Amino acid sequence: MSTHIIIQRLQQVEAVMREHDHWQLNAPDAAAFNSDQPFCLDTMAPLEWLQWVLIPRLSALIAADAPLPASFAVAPYYEVALPPATSGYADLLATLRQLDALFAEPAR
């Protein structure tokens, strides 16, 4: 798995969020990061989690040359969590699917 491609996909997620005014200048309260729920369901809005958890944590793993998750998929959550009327909905989902594809388990 090419970390360069993963970084590009993360940058694309950020670009889509910025383009559609979903990028925040201020982080959520520190307590929001203490969630034990997937996607911080109980403490963050879905787009906050992308910006403040997924992008920085994957970036930090890459920067540290640490092992990356063997597989994950976030697009299915966003298909349900975001209303289709959300600005940039289709663009964001397409970009998240591209990111997910980098972590898809190979067909057997």
Side-chain angles (χ1 to χ4, degrees):
M1 172 178 339
S2 169
T3 56
H4 178 73
I5 300 291
I6 296 169
I7 291 167
Q8 283 183 329
R9 293 293 180 258
L10 294 174
Q11 290 170 339
Q12 287 174 330
V13 171
E14 178 179 341
V16 169
M17 289 178 68
R18 286 183 182 277
E19 179 183 346
H20 295 282
D21 295 324
H22 297 304
W23 197 258
Q24 300 176 346
L25 297 178
N26 299 310
D29 291 334
F33 293 89
N34 294 331
S35 174
D36 61 0
Q37 300 292 310
F39 302 101
C40 296
L41 287 173
D42 57 341
T43 59
M44 291 187 191
L47 294 173
E48 286 179 317
W49 184 84
L50 278 178
Q51 178 179 351
W52 301 105
V53 178
L54 179 71
I55 293 172
R57 288 189 183 171
L58 272 180
S59 298
L61 288 173
I62 291 168
D65 200 25
L68 296 172
S71 67
F72 75 79
V74 296
Y77 168 66
Y78 285 89
E79 291 170 0
V80 175
L82 295 179
T86 300
S87 177
Y89 179 83
D91 293 339
L92 184 59
L93 286 182
T95 304
L96 291 174
R97 287 181 190 121
Q98 290 174 343
L99 177 64
D100 288 351
L102 300 174
F103 292 90
E105 292 187 32
R108 295 177 190 219

